[in-house]
Structures are given as structure tokens and as C-alpha cells.
Amino acid sequence: MNYINKKTFENFTWVDICQPEKVKLKSIAKEYGLDIYQIKDSLETGHLPKFEQQTNYNFIILRAYSSNNVSNRISTINELSNKIAFFYNENQIITVHTKKFDFLLDIDYDFKSAEQLLLYIIHKMIDSFDKPSKFLAEQVDKMEQTIFLKDFEKVSLEELYFYKSQSRITKKLLQISQNVINHIEVKGENLTALQDIKDSLFSLSLTYDEVLDDAINLTNTYLSFNAQKSNDVMKLLTIFSAFFLPLTFIAGIYGMNFDNMPELKSKNGYYITMGSMLVISICIYAWFKKKKII
């Protein structure tokens, strides 16, 4: 769905361009006085947030969370988010994007300046990360409860990996966005709105940082429990081996049937051998108990 919407406010004009055709890039750059390479940057898949200051306008790229389902197993920046490019000055603001954003279509406020509209859109973009952060925090908490209070084997290591990847990617994306936002300069009446955006970014970064730390710790805990289970199995096998090796040795000796084995002709040889095996087993058990192995 490609379109170019133009809206005129009291003191400035807003042009919203969605999915422009590549063949029209040069004409768009010429019509609105934009740098062709920045137009290409605004359409480049996976481009990270950035800020550039030109003679006649400022150029910003920011990314908003755009995945339709926060529970999807996604782990790349393109799956998680989509970008909006801003070309703005006092008289005009141009937004370029490849994905349709509902909050761009629902704007009906009477903004007094291009800065106000810019900050409004940026705030909506930052807010798009709030719901996913709560979802990830909730899912990681559930996994933590399952590992420690229920059965750690019910936890999906694959899901935990994707939660960790999403948290890591989003955290880095927000950190880069913070750096971009710090370059934005606004007039005095818009300083409060800009500071609110910075506060939201800082809060979200802390949330994702906490989720990432929790996911890493849970991964290590899960692997530790898995290793402990393997150790318990090996311990059990070792105990069985310690019991049966000497008994198998005795059985092997008296199973050779040599002619000159006096015990074979003894009337009580069987009972003596079985008794010896029993005594050996008791001694091994007592030693294991003394060493607190079992």
C-alpha cells in the first residue's frame, strides 16, 4: 500500500510518504529538496537509528516495534521493528516509511509547530516497545517459577533463547535511539515533551536490561539443572558399578570350572560364596553411607 498524504497545519506542512517506488526516489528528492542518499537510507531494510544535520533540514531515522504478535519466535531487528525517516525544519516535516503505522493515520491534533508533530510521532514510536517489554518480563517470570517451583524440564530452552534474543536486540536498539534523541534540539515550549521521551526511553532500557539479565541467568540455571541431572545419573550408575564389579569378579572366578578348585567340591561352597558376596555388599553400602554418597 503506497501513498503520499499531505496535510497543512497553521505554521507548517506535513508530507507522509509510505512505500515510495524506487523509480520515483529522484523525483521525490527533487520535489522536496532532499538528499537522494538519505531517501535511499530511509528505505534501506534494517537501517539503524541515526541523526544527520543538513543546511536546510534535519534527518532522523528511528524504529518502532511492529511485530503483530509479541509471542512470535523472532530474533532479528527487521522482524521486531520497522523504521520511519524524518526530514524536518520549521516549515515542513516529511515522514518516509515502508510499513503502514496506524498512529500516523489517526493524527487529528492541531499542532502549532513541526517540532510538536515530530515529538508526538517519536513518542508513539517509543510507546510501541512498552507492551512487548511487559510481555517478555511476564514470560521470563513464568519460566523462573517453573524452573524453581515446578519441573525445569517443562521449560522450553528454544523459547527462552528467543526471549533473550528479543531483549538483547531491543535493548541495543533503544540505546542507539537514546543517542539519536540526545541530538535533537527543540525550542523551550517543547523541552518538556522531549524530556518525557528521554525518560520513557530510559525506563524501557532498564526494563529490557532486567529481562535480558533474567533470561541469561535462567539459561545458565536451566543448563546447570540439566548438568546436575546428568551427574545424578552418572552417580547412580557408578554406585551400581561399585556394588556389582566385585560380585561379578567373584562369580567370574568360580565360573571357570577348573579341576583343581577345592571350593567347587565343598558341600557349603555355594553358601560361603553367597555369604561373602553379601558381606562385600554390606561393606560397600556402609562405606558409601559413611562418605555420604548415598
Side-chain angles (χ1 to χ4, degrees):
M1 178 181 180
N2 59 321
Y3 61 81
I4 299 179
N5 290 335
K6 189 172 183 180
K7 188 173 183 178
T8 301
F9 292 86
E10 182 179 351
N11 300 314
F12 69 98
T13 301
W14 173 35
V15 180
D16 184 34
I17 306 173
C18 180
Q19 295 181 0
E21 298 177 9
K22 291 185 178 181
V23 294
K24 294 184 178 180
L25 293 182
K26 288 186 178 180
S27 61
I28 291 175
K30 184 177 180 180
E31 180 180 356
Y32 297 105
L34 308 177
D35 189 296
I36 182 62
Y37 294 104
Q38 291 177 338
I39 288 285
K40 290 180 178 179
D41 283 348
S42 66
L43 300 177
E44 182 183 333
T45 303
H47 204 299
L48 294 175
K50 74 172 184 177
F51 175 89
E52 292 181 6
Q53 192 169 24
Q54 300 292 333
T55 304
N56 300 322
Y57 63 87
N58 294 320
F59 173 57
I60 298 175
I61 290 180
L62 290 172
R63 301 189 72 92
Y65 195 97
S66 58
S67 176
N68 293 326
N69 189 346
V70 292
S71 64
N72 278 343
R73 298 188 173 189
I74 48 183
S75 59
T76 65
I77 191 170
N78 291 330
E79 293 173 317
L80 285 169
S81 63
N82 271 278
K83 63 185 177 301
I84 299 178
F86 301 86
F87 303 83
Y88 72 97
N89 53 32
E90 290 186 356
N91 303 316
Q92 180 177 255
I93 179 169
I94 301 171
T95 52
V96 182
H97 48 96
T98 57
K99 177 182 173 60
K100 185 182 75 172
F101 292 94
D102 291 337
F103 57 78
L104 291 178
L105 301 175
D106 297 336
I107 295 177
D108 56 357
Y109 298 102
D110 185 19
F111 295 100
K112 302 300 180 184
S113 66
E115 284 183 355
Q116 288 184 356
L117 175 58
L118 172 72
L119 295 177
Y120 173 83
I121 296 175
I122 292 177
H123 207 300
K124 288 293 184 180
M125 296 178 72
I126 301 305
D127 284 346
S128 67
F129 291 94
D130 184 56
K131 183 178 178 180
S133 71
K134 293 177 180 177
F135 171 81
L136 287 174
E138 181 181 348
Q139 295 304 308
V140 171
D141 285 343
K142 287 181 179 178
M143 284 190 168
E144 185 175 19
Q145 292 176 8
T146 302
I147 288 176
F148 289 104
L149 301 180
K150 298 178 182 178
D151 183 4
F152 81 95
E153 291 184 339
K154 293 181 179 179
V155 171
S156 170
L157 191 60
E158 184 180 1
E159 282 190 6
L160 187 55
Y161 162 77
F162 282 110
Y163 293 151
K164 184 175 68 173
S165 296
Q166 291 178 38
S167 301
R168 182 181 67 251
I169 292 171
T170 310
K171 174 190 171 184
K172 291 181 179 179
L173 182 59
L174 291 174
Q175 288 175 336
I176 299 173
S177 299
Q178 278 182 304
N179 185 52
V180 171
I181 298 299
N182 288 335
H183 284 87
I184 297 177
E185 296 180 357
V186 296
K187 295 180 180 179
E189 62 267 22
N190 297 318
L191 285 175
T192 303
L194 179 60
Q195 186 60 46
D196 189 44
I197 291 174
K198 292 180 180 180
D199 292 342
S200 297
L201 267 173
F202 181 72
S203 177
L204 284 169
S205 295
L206 290 179
T207 300
Y208 279 100
D209 188 44
E210 183 180 355
V211 172
L212 178 59
D213 286 342
D214 289 343
I216 292 174
N217 291 333
L218 286 182
T219 302
N220 294 334
T221 302
Y222 179 91
L223 296 176
S224 296
F225 281 168
N226 241 351
Q228 181 61 43
K229 184 178 180 180
S230 298
N231 290 338
D232 291 341
V233 172
M234 292 302 298
K235 177 181 175 181
L236 183 62
L237 292 175
T238 302
I239 292 173
F240 273 108
S241 298
F243 273 101
F244 285 101
L245 277 176
L247 306 184
T248 304
F249 175 74
I250 294 174
I253 289 178
Y254 290 104
M256 291 187 291
N257 296 321
F258 286 118
D259 290 336
N260 296 322
M261 292 182 69
E263 294 88 347
L264 294 178
K265 296 180 181 180
S266 173
K267 184 182 294 186
N268 298 317
Y270 171 78
Y271 302 104
I272 293 172
T273 302
M274 294 300 293
S276 300
M277 290 182 174
L278 179 61
V279 170
I280 291 172
S281 299
I282 293 173
C283 291
I284 292 173
Y285 177 80
W287 186 83
F288 276 130
K289 288 294 284 185
K290 183 178 180 180
K291 297 296 183 179
K292 297 182 179 179
I293 298 177
I294 57 176

